[in-house]
Amino acid sequence: MKKTELRNMLEQVASGALSIDDAVLKLKAAPFNDLGFAKTDTHRAIRQGVAEVIYGEGKTPEQIEHIASDLLANGQKTVIITRLNAEKAAEIKKNIDIVYYEIARIGVAGEIPEPDTKGCIVIATGGTSDIQVAEEAATTALLLGNRVTRLYDIGVSGIHRLLSFKEELMSARVVVAAAGMEGALASVIGGLVDCPVIAVPTSVGYGASFGGITALLSMLNSCASGVSVVNIDNGFGAGYLASMINRMGE
Amino acid sequence: MKKTELRNMLEQVASGALSIDDAVLKLKAAPFNDLGFAKTDTHRAIRQGVAEVIYGEGKTPEQIEHIASDLLANGQKTVIITRLNAEKAAEIKKNIDIVYYEIARIGVAGEIPEPDTKGCIVIATGGTSDIQVAEEAATTALLLGNRVTRLYDIGVSGIHRLLSFKEELMSARVVVAAAGMEGALASVIGGLVDCPVIAVPTSVGYGASFGGITALLSMLNSCASGVSVVNIDNGFGAGYLASMINRMGE
Amino acid sequence: MKKTELRNMLEQVASGALSIDDAVLKLKAAPFNDLGFAKTDTHRAIRQGVAEVIYGEGKTPEQIEHIASDLLANGQKTVIITRLNAEKAAEIKKNIDIVYYEIARIGVAGEIPEPDTKGCIVIATGGTSDIQVAEEAATTALLLGNRVTRLYDIGVSGIHRLLSFKEELMSARVVVAAAGMEGALASVIGGLVDCPVIAVPTSVGYGASFGGITALLSMLNSCASGVSVVNIDNGFGAGYLASMINRMGE
Amino acid sequence: MKKTELRNMLEQVASGALSIDDAVLKLKAAPFNDLGFAKTDTHRAIRQGVAEVIYGEGKTPEQIEHIASDLLANGQKTVIITRLNAEKAAEIKKNIDIVYYEIARIGVAGEIPEPDTKGCIVIATGGTSDIQVAEEAATTALLLGNRVTRLYDIGVSGIHRLLSFKEELMSARVVVAAAGMEGALASVIGGLVDCPVIAVPTSVGYGASFGGITALLSMLNSCASGVSVVNIDNGFGAGYLASMINRMGE
Amino acid sequence: MKKTELRNMLEQVASGALSIDDAVLKLKAAPFNDLGFAKTDTHRAIRQGVAEVIYGEGKTPEQIEHIASDLLANGQKTVIITRLNAEKAAEIKKNIDIVYYEIARIGVAGEIPEPDTKGCIVIATGGTSDIQVAEEAATTALLLGNRVTRLYDIGVSGIHRLLSFKEELMSARVVVAAAGMEGALASVIGGLVDCPVIAVPTSVGYGASFGGITALLSMLNSCASGVSVVNIDNGFGAGYLASMINRMGE
Amino acid sequence: MKKTELRNMLEQVASGALSIDDAVLKLKAAPFNDLGFAKTDTHRAIRQGVAEVIYGEGKTPEQIEHIASDLLANGQKTVIITRLNAEKAAEIKKNIDIVYYEIARIGVAGEIPEPDTKGCIVIATGGTSDIQVAEEAATTALLLGNRVTRLYDIGVSGIHRLLSFKEELMSARVVVAAAGMEGALASVIGGLVDCPVIAVPTSVGYGASFGGITALLSMLNSCASGVSVVNIDNGFGAGYLASMINRMGE
Amino acid sequence: MKKTELRNMLEQVASGALSIDDAVLKLKAAPFNDLGFAKTDTHRAIRQGVAEVIYGEGKTPEQIEHIASDLLANGQKTVIITRLNAEKAAEIKKNIDIVYYEIARIGVAGEIPEPDTKGCIVIATGGTSDIQVAEEAATTALLLGNRVTRLYDIGVSGIHRLLSFKEELMSARVVVAAAGMEGALASVIGGLVDCPVIAVPTSVGYGASFGGITALLSMLNSCASGVSVVNIDNGFGAGYLASMINRMGE
Amino acid sequence: MKKTELRNMLEQVASGALSIDDAVLKLKAAPFNDLGFAKTDTHRAIRQGVAEVIYGEGKTPEQIEHIASDLLANGQKTVIITRLNAEKAAEIKKNIDIVYYEIARIGVAGEIPEPDTKGCIVIATGGTSDIQVAEEAATTALLLGNRVTRLYDIGVSGIHRLLSFKEELMSARVVVAAAGMEGALASVIGGLVDCPVIAVPTSVGYGASFGGITALLSMLNSCASGVSVVNIDNGFGAGYLASMINRMGE
């Protein structure tokens, strides 16, 4: 219930058009999401251009189609579907027109926005095996309208590779650093740049990498300032947050 | 070595004022931090107003005095000393004029800047025991010139307390959420606001809180988008990153 | 051996109808479950209407059929089979008339009781992926004769969803809160309601959710009073305990 | 804001005694705890006799005095202070009249209620070292007006001790089972009784007891139905929940 | 090199039949297993009747056949093959005459000894799912010639079941207690009997049973004296040690 | 209640000397420890010479004096007090005549038995720092009347030291192997001897020894047969079990 | 950029053949790997005979073919492909001439060097199941031109086996010790030899071996000097480091 | 027993000067350390100049004095005492002439050797807090006669600092890299140099550094070849191994 609605209702009470009992009922029933403080579907639909996101894992193609169609019908311009495997994507394509990014495991229905940000998000990875997670971040950021630079396979065990991209790194407004194994990439980049670094531990590695735990712990202990961490393999979360930060000051 | 210095040197080579051998030597000796891609002491001093930070733990009062004096002498306007206990602070005060924030365990030498940011950083805590960590974040952000709002003791087990501050939360440009025990504060705030949330797990709790591990894991698994995490009790890191984000677009 | 039986036997000894040697033998042989302090099959059958439960995992369809038939033959009205997958259920159906709840993975032979409790158990979940565990709890509670209200997908990252069900939550006599990832649902509900909250961590999530450990730890550290925790994914245990509490005072 | 107050206010709007603008303001300012869905200080004070609880750890004697005095002044009859060590208790006693339970580390200001429950809570421990935690539970339950039976040092390695108290155990409405080391007490009791068992792992033990983790895990895996678990050493939580359950059906 | 061989060699040196250099060489080359302090194949073959054991996991049927044939050819009367799945057993049976115990996953070639011990080993399990591990222990003990009593499914959550077997338990010379989940069986039995109890944690359970870790920790923390623990699911180790102890004093 | 007592009572019932009501009462009141299946104080006192044990940690000198005096008064010949520090021992000595073994932290009241076993228990340690735990085991075994051989500081990193004691090791009836750090001692001894090996992980070490966890895990994974493990630093448990095994066949 | 190139460039500046602006540009653009301090492909190709290594896991046969062909075309004499399964190897063989070592899962394209080291690397394993990891180490070392001695299945539970190879062990310049389960092999060998021991924990074992963690921890705690550890199952890393050490002083 | 002694003894047998029985006895009694395959005190004393090491922790000053005096009396030139705190060192100095290195916590009795190695060991640390561990490594290496270069506080979050020492790093024969927190130093150095890197995790850090576990895991997962790891804070082990490697080829 927005302020104006509240005022209207009270005016009806003052004029006798609404009984007190009915007003009490209405006030109690007014859902909290009408009070304007929460990100709800409708709320989001109002601010055009912001993509709505469906977490695809554990949902059937039919469920995804249903939600996506609904959102599009309600005026949503872009619908992002994350953690969508190729089989489900193929299934959905039969009924809805979606673009599918295989490595990122992301599908998109509706408009694909043009990058319109001044600043650029750099997505860096330690090795080639981190690319799937990085692509989830990169594709998310792109679909939220950001300019993105990919710097893949610049891990710290060959520090010259990383240093040869110092210009790209230093001109970034946000960096997403995805790495498995010892996860040192975030620290080294954090020491080079002046902008926020979002560290994404990946489950890449074997033995004592413990499915990303080592990288996670390593990144949390980064001695560089400006580094924060998201969950293991959470490329979407990193891309979403990077976009949020990149759009600060718009 | 800045671009102009490099140019000057090369002009001297061109004019014969500098021998080739000497130029080779100079170029080899030029520290990497002169190449413009790293945050170093000198580098920072150039950008006036940005505070230099000394990690106080494990350093003697004499060491801290020495570093702080040096920095001030080199033109640094504000020197922040973190993890500084009251005893060391008292010792240092005998020789250097510092302001000491006891709860935050932060000392400051030099100028204390006026908040000059348009946006505001909200620092929230779950309970009263998280305040020490929150104050480290708040004081850091303040000393970096940010406007700060403190919302302490608004933990999720009494959700009405948190909701009564929804306006403050929703008008923030960044939120720092410090909580121990089950660390759910970050998720609930992350679901309410549209800005980045920096989650700081605190070591508050007992038994299966495991010195902050439970809060840390909980925050990493936040189902709200826009949440990232720093190390347990790392109030400084959260405040520093919050400032970095709050100043985006300046 | 009940008190009256004991008295009878002693009377036989007194009257000489039973030799002392035979009495010694009888007393030694009297199984402990006859002493009235243990929940045994026979014991349970006496109290009509209380369902006997078979843990289906690791048992063959034949074994389950055998036990269930036995129980029904011995006067058991309702036999619940938990952790029963669809294949086994189909196999069993060929020989015994069972009702199968696929999402809950529960089969029932015999009568399905009508809900007869005054109070109501609310089963809440954080997300849609927690529903399987929640259904195990809900179906268990229903089959034990409780009235049940389901509130699914009301996770804390969209707190307005949860709050819009505050009436249902506040009128509950017990709440079962099933959630994975950061498991904050139990704390938030625990802060809203005045009744016992049984928290069920689920193995839903990825990365640092560690198959439910994060949710488990989070729930154990709940700062809300009245919250206790059962094993990861233990929907049956939660439903059983909820029924036990809901029936207090009958 | 209670329903009657809301109605009064709306009547004033209807009669013109209150302007619409002021009504809007009032409604926005009305704290959420007035809406009737949350346990707040004021809310609790209304339901006489329910004790308000202060978590003493980390608070100074002055802070505790201040809060306790406030609560008493607002009509609170009993104020419980948990995790209160003997030094602080002695300090507080100088200014407020409190009763101090040393083993339980609990202080009480105001009236100490007489047990008035029909049912009885049994508090059991595995060994003598678990008694501190058990006393926290027992004292909490007593101060919330419950009848309490203590069965200490009846650990499972001498099963006859436990069995000799089967009557006390079987007549309980709720059992709190506190145990360290292997924590098997909860399972054995859970198999004997028909009522809810609240398991409290204690940090008693050495070596691979890991400060209570072993007992915690053991209790979570209890194969007995009706057992749920609270945090390590959380005697208060167990006592509070036990009281909640014991009072069901009043 | 046995004492007599050493003496012979020295006599040859004394008689000049062996040169000093050759004697030096021989003494250095003499394998340590000849010195009589190690359990080697040959060594074992001497003490007739003691079974030689082959760990079947990770070995091909051909490898197992080869080793078993060799041992039998060298005078070994009984050859036990552990961790042998049904497929491999069927394959081996084509070439060697073995008896296969399916639940225990043990195959035996050669003679199957008659139980000849005065004392009896009791093998107990908490539930029906622990039987596979228990059978590995029982079969191992039987094949080493021990008398064995099986007490399966006597878990502590129904303590009367366990107590009804107190005579069998109390007459045992060694007890093997196999249990998963909370693993309390070992403690309760350890408190009842006066003989050594070998606890075998099993990987039975789900959620926080962590594949047997909870049972393992629980058993290590047993407050009963006389309890020691072997690796998770190590039925063979328990059976072997039980036999060793049962045969003490023969 | 022993069989003869039971018979006597029943005879009284038969003769009318005891009323049926009184018999019912007596039978109900008869403590389970009288049924002959449990190790209780009285029970133990009957079998002369078996020492009763008091766990000293967490008990006051007064409590220990009280229990020890009681036991002695009831005919107990030897009372062992474990985990008794020097201060408490000195305090107790003022009132009771005890012998105190400082390194083992064990006190003894009453008779100290002469070793009377045919077989010998070997207590071995990896290093000198494991001696405290080893002495707890050795003293326990000695006070239970066993012959004991100590082989200290024979760790596996200097395998020749261990091998030079092969005769002592091979003539043992039981070996207790106490070791911290990598805990390999148990495996190497287990491969040398034919008797049971009780492995005691000690909390000796630093860094990744994790207070004995590494030694514990290492010992549980011993590839030698006949090895079982007790809790970290549990010298008493090892000595007690070793005595139990050493006395088999007496 | 090598020193001579730098000098040339500066001479061009001095002679006016290169403008200052172009020189600035060139200096900034000069990749760090040209500065001579990093191991890059080109760099390595210069030092003939050193094999280049491709990590095969997660790469398609096409990708591997492409990289290998490239390296061979650029003058690389030997190309090692690790973690290459048999299927991929077969696929690659269709297009490139490679030798495939199945147990080691290593493929080699180009020349296979003759062992040319004076010293010898000993590769030892505890059991037969560790051989796959050991072969990865042995093959790596061989392909880097080292002389290698294999001592497999000499685990510590039969110490005589290990000791019978003391000459081979003592003549080694480096030892690689691969073992799972309790991982004691490294300690025992470390105590026998005077050369560096590289310990490789393997994921061999079950239950509390935790996929190699126990062996890893055990090896890190080795009380023998000269032992260091690589990641679980990292045979390649051990072989590479062993070669590096074996070639010291060439 | 050395080869010559063995030969002498056999000559006595041949000449009849020694009876065969006595020879048998002597050969059996000859300690294994005389057979030449183990590093024993005497053995070491033969190779002059190699320092003998006493682990000081847990030993009294008297014990240390005793061992050190013994070693010096037996011809040992240098005796190193590690983990020796200042108090014990002062105590020992009263009786033996030792040099004490306070930061390294190492004392030395006897001659302090001059560095005589051609190659140089580089000891690097991430921060200033790692210096204590690094000094233990450096002092150990120095006392074993190595040339040592210290590069302290060159952590990866300011990569330019590390790179400015690339010449020192690249000219090393071995590098010891000591770092806490995220432990990335080892990886970055491992990628720069061509020699073995011994990584020493330190317990420096807070929160999720878990007393060095994070650094340990990070180092074990290093993606750079040639890196191996020792225990947390094991400076001595790293220095000893570094010396062993540095002296290869002498």
Side-chain angles (χ1 to χ4, degrees), chain F residues 155-160 163 181-184 187-192 205-210 213-214 217-224, chain G residues 155-160 163 181-184 187-188 190-192 205-210 213-214 217-224:
Chain F
V156 302
S157 73
I159 201 72
H160 59 288
L163 292 177
M181 301 174 81
E182 90 274 61
S187 284
V188 174
I189 290 181
L192 283 179
Y206 63 89
S209 77
F210 299 135
I213 297 180
T214 295
L217 292 177
S218 179
M219 286 164 165
L220 283 167
N221 281 281
S222 174
C223 37
Chain G
V156 301
S157 72
I159 201 74
H160 59 289
L163 293 177
M181 301 175 82
E182 90 276 62
S187 285
V188 175
L192 283 178
Y206 63 92
S209 77
F210 300 135
I213 297 179
T214 296
L217 293 177
S218 180
M219 287 165 165
L220 283 166
N221 280 280
S222 174
C223 37

Side-chain angles (χ1 to χ4, degrees), chain C residues 23 47 52 65 92 129 136 140 152 179 181 184 188 211-212 214:
Chain C
R47 291 184 272 132
E52 185 65 25
E65 278 170 45
I92 293 169
S129 316
E136 193 184 51
T140 299
Y152 292 170
M181 302 174 80
V188 175
T214 295

Side-chain angles (χ1 to χ4, degrees), chain F residues 158-234:
Chain F
I159 201 72
H160 59 288
R161 289 184 299 178
L162 193 154
L163 292 177
S164 66
F165 292 106
K166 65 181 185 297
E167 309 231 340
E168 286 84 349
L169 285 165
M170 295 194 66
S171 63
R173 262 173 71 91
V174 203
V175 179
V176 172
M181 301 174 81
E182 90 274 61
L185 185 68
S187 284
V188 174
I189 290 181
L192 283 179
V193 302
D194 270 329
C195 70
V197 175
I198 303 166
V200 194
T202 71
S203 55
V204 168
Y206 63 89
S209 77
F210 299 135
I213 297 180
T214 295
L216 169 62
L217 292 177
S218 179
M219 286 164 165
L220 283 167
N221 281 281
S222 174
C223 37
S225 296
V227 177
S228 63
V229 187
V230 297
N231 197 357
I232 297 167
D233 290 337
N234 189 4

Side-chain angles (χ1 to χ4, degrees), chain D residues 92-110:
Chain D
I92 293 170
K93 266 190 185 168
K94 294 178 187 167
N95 302 305
I96 306 191
D97 186 29
I98 63 168
V99 176
Y100 183 60
Y101 302 81
E102 186 154 7
I103 301 174
R105 287 176 304 161
I106 287 180
V108 193

